[in-house]
Amino acid sequence: MRAYGGYLVLIGIGVLVAVYIAFQSFFTSFGFDLPIDEEQVGMEDQIVIKFSHVVAENTPKGLAASRFAALVDEYTDHRVKIEVYPNQSLYSDREEIEALQENKVQMIAPTTSKITNISEKWMLLDLPYIFPTDAALKEALNGEVGEELLNHLAEVNIEGLAFWSNNFKQMTSNEPIRRPEDLSGKNFRIMPSPVLESQFEHFGASTSKLEFNDTFKSLEIKKTDSQENTISNIYSKKLYDVQKYLTISDHGYLGYVVMMNQSFWEDLPPDIQQQITRAMDDTTSWLWDKAKEMNQTQLQAIKEKSTIEVYTLSDKERKLWMKEMTSIYPEFEPVIGKDLMEKMERIREKYIE
């Protein structure tokens, strides 16, 4: 009798399910929103993309990654889920490019300096004062120069999606830096890049290649005594607490290249590629202004909450720095390529005052 009752229950459940399926479209057509279990619906079809980066969530890159993930979710109607892993919670600076190439992670956004290990042409972006203004930067990265650099990534199974800007770099130290000769004798923490190494050693400074998350400790224990970075990075890592002087020099560009494993990208359906590209374009456009705004706001915060002494180069001093630092250009033209250098020089000349 119990078995018979159990069968009736199962039959009843089956009838209810059948009725629900048959009339689901009927109910929704009249505006009744039926509950949806997002974890269940489309589980088999949902594409998960792991996006790893090494900075805090409250930085321009961190905010852009979160915004991009939300836009992809919206534009693909939940078909694609971007899982963002900030603060090197998955991979460190040294590990993430290899992890991307092996498809252990599908997206990363390393600083452009890191790409010089893959393609020497990318040294172009590290040259001091190669971008005299924000407008020059935009024209270069959104035009032929940027396109050529991104295309070179295909040679190592990487799809270059976009450039994310974090504005220009400044210098901090335990001694004042006003003139190029003030660099002499200092030990700068730098990202791994032959250009950055030459940039400081040309003026008698030594360099230490350290990961971003090791910078504070290095300065604190005085393993290094100086470093270059954007204001947002100086602020987010509280580098102003372990440095006495900050020089606003705008001498170099610090940005990121958003990349995806090329094989993974090519296997995505065309409509998904289209919506990811749309989300990336919208995020990139938003970030241009957001990064500039954040750097300005956080510079003011640094002035108000710390004892670090801030010095801004005058126009005359900046021209002197530009003349002195650009003297290293001929050293790198053979590896960057004359054609690419000439394209960039034409843009640069338009914006030099």
Side-chain angles (χ1 to χ4, degrees), residues 281-298:
D281 289 344
D282 289 352
T283 302
T284 302
S285 179
W286 169 84
L287 184 59
W288 278 109
D289 294 327
K290 186 64 177 179
K292 188 174 182 179
E293 173 193 320
M294 285 184 69
N295 277 273
Q296 291 172 343
T297 301
Q298 291 171 350

Side-chain angles (χ1 to χ4, degrees), residues 93-94 111 113-114 116 126 169-171 183 186-201 205-215 218-219 224-229 251 254 325:
D93 272 338
R94 294 191 184 96
T111 56
S113 298
K114 303 288 187 343
T116 59
D126 281 337
K169 293 184 288 186
Q170 322 302 340
M171 300 181 193
L183 300 177
K186 293 177 174 55
N187 186 301
F188 271 81
R189 175 269 170 182
I190 63 167
M191 293 177 287
S193 164
V195 173
L196 300 183
E197 198 171 349
S198 178
Q199 168 185 272
F200 290 112
E201 292 182 352
S206 58
T207 57
S208 297
K209 299 169 188 169
L210 299 172
E211 293 187 14
F212 176 60
N213 285 335
D214 294 333
T215 303
S218 175
L219 294 169
T224 53
D225 56 40
S226 309
Q227 65 89 43
E228 60 168 7
N229 234 308
H251 64 280
L254 193 152
M325 296 192 88

Side-chain angles (χ1 to χ4, degrees), residues 11-176:
I11 291 171
I13 291 172
V15 171
L16 288 173
V17 170
V19 170
Y20 171 79
I21 294 171
F23 289 94
Q24 183 178 13
S25 60
F26 171 80
F27 287 125
T28 55
S29 67
F30 283 93
F32 294 100
D33 291 327
L34 298 176
I36 297 175
D37 182 351
E38 288 189 359
E39 292 186 359
Q40 188 66 31
V41 174
M43 263 181 68
E44 295 179 359
D45 299 326
Q46 190 178 55
I47 299 167
V48 176
I49 297 175
K50 292 182 179 179
F51 186 168
S52 171
H53 67 79
V54 302
V55 298
E57 293 170 285
N58 63 339
T59 59
K61 178 165 64 173
L63 292 172
S66 298
R67 185 182 184 88
F68 170 70
L71 289 178
V72 168
D73 180 67
E74 176 187 344
Y75 293 171
T76 65
D77 195 22
H78 314 299
R79 288 173 63 196
V80 178
K81 180 180 181 182
I82 306 290
E83 294 181 348
V84 180
Y85 297 88
N87 260 329
Q88 66 178 23
S89 53
L90 275 187
Y91 297 102
S92 69
D93 272 338
R94 294 191 184 96
E95 301 167 334
E96 62 179 5
I97 293 178
E98 183 178 347
L100 180 77
Q101 291 173 309
E102 295 176 356
N103 203 33
K104 293 177 180 177
V105 61
Q106 289 72 52
M107 288 187 73
I108 60 174
T111 56
T112 57
S113 298
K114 303 288 187 343
I115 311 304
T116 59
N117 291 326
I118 296 174
S119 171
E120 292 179 328
K121 288 184 178 294
W122 282 71
M123 292 183 193
L124 174 78
L125 304 185
D126 281 337
L127 291 173
Y129 291 111
I130 193 67
F131 305 110
T133 66
D134 192 56
L137 177 64
K138 282 186 178 182
E139 181 174 339
L141 297 188
N142 293 333
E144 287 184 29
V145 171
E147 184 179 1
E148 182 172 338
L149 291 173
L150 291 177
N151 288 341
H152 274 280
L153 297 176
E155 299 173 4
V156 287
N157 194 33
I158 290 175
E159 182 72 23
L161 299 178
F163 292 97
W164 280 0
S165 178
N166 189 9
N167 218 253
F168 294 104
K169 293 184 288 186
Q170 322 302 340
M171 300 181 193
T172 67
S173 185
N174 288 327
E175 294 181 0

